[in-house]
């Protein structure tokens, strides 16, 4: 497409058309991601999740078996099994989301510390093979561990998600 010589208005119009085409392509990609991946199902909305934050490229939701209250997971919307497979742009977007949500967790829950955990491969403790980053609020003296043993009460998860969401900066 010859863009040189176009007026500023025409360029802005073309940019908007291209942006909307890119979004349509991303949506089509998301719909064609692995059918049996549980996190892809959450992205497509075919199974529920308690959402904290969403943008074009990432989704953050509460871990159903939290290691501590406020434990959230950040994922890219486009499927990638792990850190070695994820595309640069999705890694950057996910990392920015991790920082943003971690700041909100600090503001909302004031934990003593926050563990950021990311697993690659079964031997490393990975159980869901769609790249994800754990954000785990920690209290002084709390035993370090990634997984809770039991599913949390959904109402408690919803309340925590709302508190974290409210603390997200614009
Ligand atoms: P990992 O062991 O690093 O692969 O972590 C996977 C995490 O996903 C675990 O902490 C699980 O509790 C969590 N998890 C699995 N299924 C769901 C789900 N449907 N909704 C929210 N969290 C989930
Ligand atoms: Zn997936």
């Amino acid at each position: 497409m010859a863009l040189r010589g176009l007026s500023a208005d025409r360029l802005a119009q073309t940019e908007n058309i291209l942006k909307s085409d890119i979004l349509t392509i991303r949506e089509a990609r998301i719909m064609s991601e692995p059918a049996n991946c549980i996190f892809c199902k959450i992205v497509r909305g075919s199974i529920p999740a308690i959402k904290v934050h969403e943008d074009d490229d990432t989704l953050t939701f509460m871990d159903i078996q939290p290691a501590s209250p406020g434990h959230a997971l950040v994922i890219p919307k486009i499927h990638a099994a792990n850190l070695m497979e994820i595309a640069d742009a999705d890694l950057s977007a996910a990392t920015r989301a991790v920082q943003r949500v971690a700041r909100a967790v600090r503001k909302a829950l004031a934990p003593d510390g926050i563990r950021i955990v990311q697993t690659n491969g079964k031997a490393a403790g990975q159980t869901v093979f769609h790249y994800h980053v754990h954000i785990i609020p920690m209290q002084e003296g709390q035993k370090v561990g990634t997984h809770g043993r039991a599913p949390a009460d959904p109402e408690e998860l919803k309340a925590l998600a709302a508190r974290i969401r409210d603390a997200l900066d614009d």
Side-chain angles (χ1 to χ4, degrees):
M1 196 185 303
L3 295 174
R4 278 192 195 167
L6 290 186
S7 69
D9 276 358
R10 279 289 290 150
L11 281 173
Q13 216 178 14
T14 309
E15 190 178 6
N16 284 335
I17 292 168
L18 290 175
K19 275 185 187 157
S20 113
D21 284 351
I22 287 167
L23 279 182
T24 309
I25 292 167
R26 284 188 76 77
E27 274 158 25
R29 278 195 65 185
I30 286 165
M31 296 315 281
S32 66
E33 296 297 353
N36 56 359
C37 168
I38 191 153
F39 287 175
C40 282
K41 286 183 186 173
I42 288 176
V43 172
R44 286 193 290 264
S46 59
I47 66 165
I50 298 169
K51 292 184 190 173
V52 173
H53 174 257
E54 180 167 11
D55 58 33
D56 287 346
D57 306 311
T58 72
L59 186 62
T60 302
F61 51 93
M62 302 308 286
D63 194 303
I64 39 165
Q65 283 192 201
S68 65
H71 182 171
L73 299 173
V74 177
I75 65 168
K77 288 186 174 177
I78 299 284
H79 181 90
N82 55 43
L83 179 65
M84 280 65 75
E85 307 294 328
I86 188 170
D88 283 1
D90 290 330
L91 180 60
S92 304
T95 306
R96 282 195 303 273
V98 168
Q99 186 190 46
R100 191 157 174 230
V101 175
R103 283 178 173 154
V105 165
R106 181 178 63 182
K107 193 167 157 191
L109 309 178
D112 295 328
I114 299 176
R115 255 162 67 78
I116 302 296
V117 179
Q118 191 271 315
T119 56
N120 299 279
K122 195 161 164 270
Q126 188 174 12
T127 58
V128 178
F129 296 90
H130 179 130
Y131 180 87
H132 55 278
V133 180
H134 298 259
I135 298 175
I136 309 172
M138 298 293 294
Q139 302 303 337
E140 217 54 77
Q142 183 182 334
K143 196 163 159 274
V144 169
T146 312
H147 301 287
R149 297 249 162 76
D153 173 1
E155 292 310 313
E156 271 173 35
L157 291 182
K158 279 182 199 162
L160 283 161
R163 285 171 65 191
I164 299 169
R165 211 181 300 122
D166 287 349
L168 282 168
D169 291 329
D170 295 330

